[in-house]
Amino acid sequence: MKHEYKTSGVCAMKIDFEVEDNKLKNVVYYGGCNGNLKGISSLLEGMDIDEAIPKLEGLTCGMKKTSCPDQLAQALKAYKNGEI
């Protein structure tokens, strides 16, 4: 099942992802730095979400208090809390 998360404070507008057996699948960012976000998506494919969250959470982009990776961590936390 595809989950959609609308980002905040970053160039990417939204993130789609799937979770199967607590593992990330098919992470797709819309907007943002295309090559970097494809790389992040590829590296995260198959990673346990409980391992991904602490690796991504808190990362910043320039002067912003968040980043595209941090927004994915927020999306995964929302997923775990049943919010999306």
Side-chain angles (χ1 to χ4, degrees):
M1 170 190 229
K2 181 173 83 170
H3 301 279
E4 180 180 301
Y5 182 80
K6 294 192 181 201
T7 60
S8 176
V10 296
C11 297
M13 298 170 286
K14 74 174 183 166
I15 307 167
D16 287 346
F17 63 95
E18 296 176 33
V19 177
E20 187 176 298
D21 297 326
N22 215 51
K23 308 248 187 259
L24 264 174
K25 292 180 64 177
N26 303 319
V27 176
V28 178
Y29 283 87
Y30 295 87
C33 303
N34 190 341
N36 288 336
L37 297 174
K38 283 180 181 175
I40 290 169
S41 299
S42 178
L43 290 169
L44 293 172
E45 184 74 21
M47 183 180 285
D48 189 282
I49 63 173
D50 294 315
E51 182 181 347
I53 292 170
K55 288 181 181 282
L56 304 173
E57 189 172 33
L59 296 175
T60 59
C61 182
M63 299 300 291
K64 299 175 185 176
K65 294 183 179 188
T66 188
S67 65
C68 291
D70 178 64
Q71 287 293 293
L72 180 56
Q74 302 313 310
L76 296 175
K77 287 169 50 178
Y79 166 80
K80 286 183 64 167
N81 291 330
E83 297 168 8
I84 58 172

